[in-house]
Amino acid sequence: MKTRILLSALSAAALAVSASGCAKEDTSTTTESGIELVKEGTLTICTHLPYEPFEFTEGGEVVGFDPGVLELAANAEGLDTEVLDVAWETITTGEALNTGQCDVGAGAMTINDERAAVMDFTDPYFKATQALMTKTGSGITSLEDLAGKKIAVQDGTTGADYVRENAPADAEIVSFEDSSLMQQAVRTGKTDAGVNDNGLLNYFVSQNPDVEVVAEFETGEEYGFSVKKGGNDDLLAAINDAIASDDYDAVYEEWFGTAPTE
């Protein structure tokens, strides 16, 4: 099934329509298997780009591990997929789901109690830790080495929470809207280090030898996809089936080079 991307930016004309109070056309539907969709024949996915290799744009389409797994569920139901790039906070608060923007939230999203209170999560599909990235050869090997220095984090992430709780009191925490800006801040020397999920940073350093991951922090995190709270059990089941399938292993190996470990 083909995946399409819709940008979150609204045109002036669209804003004018919104301001006039015109009602949004209801295109929602329910499949024969009971899955509720905001758009007939399509699994609509909200994410925040880029977060390579989990989701990013290549050749005008969104690709990556997350859309690859969700396509397994969509294909099994005979659905297309469509990806919307929205603000990360609208995903983690459940707003994007509650307002009918999309059917499923994705974005290497850690399952935690705060998020589970406002949305329903699938079974975990990826284990993660937090990682510390620096310029290659910086001599920094731990958070303690960053006293008086600048640490880059991404807004609204568990990595940002970890740094605020564990970094030296005199470290300066510099927050960026997306992962790409955070990574480039370390690479260009704007900050001395950065903390984010290990899958993201390990992939980035494999493409950029001038930076390196110098430490990882075991935080017991697991990623999940989310659907509207109490509103789409059949979609949860379809995605869980995809996560448990042999095809999942092939998607994992495509993006990470090895088979998943238990």
Side-chain angles (χ1 to χ4, degrees), residues 123-135:
D123 294 337
Y125 70 94
F126 190 89
K127 295 182 183 296
T129 65
Q130 293 303 312
L132 177 65
M133 183 176 75
T134 69
K135 291 280 286 184

Side-chain angles (χ1 to χ4, degrees), residues 30-132:
T30 303
T31 68
E32 291 184 2
S33 59
I35 295 173
E36 296 184 17
L37 301 172
V38 299
K39 183 177 180 181
E40 185 174 3
T42 301
L43 180 65
T44 307
I45 304 161
C46 281
T47 193
H48 183 62
L49 301 169
Y51 207 79
E52 194 170 357
F54 291 92
E55 42 266 315
F56 61 102
T57 305
E58 185 175 79
E61 293 187 359
V62 176
V63 298
F65 180 60
D66 284 357
V69 174
L70 290 173
E71 282 175 5
L72 297 178
N75 290 345
E77 296 292 329
L79 302 172
D80 291 323
T81 55
E82 188 169 84
V83 180
L84 281 68
D85 181 18
V86 304
W88 182 237
E89 290 77 9
T90 68
I91 299 173
T92 58
T93 61
E95 178 185 346
L97 298 167
N98 293 333
T99 57
Q101 292 184 63
C102 51
D103 306 302
V104 57
M109 180 164 45
T110 297
I111 301 169
N112 62 31
D113 292 341
E114 181 180 5
R115 294 169 181 173
V118 295
M119 63 187 86
D120 288 337
F121 277 103
T122 64
D123 294 337
Y125 70 94
F126 190 89
K127 295 182 183 296
T129 65
Q130 293 303 312
L132 177 65

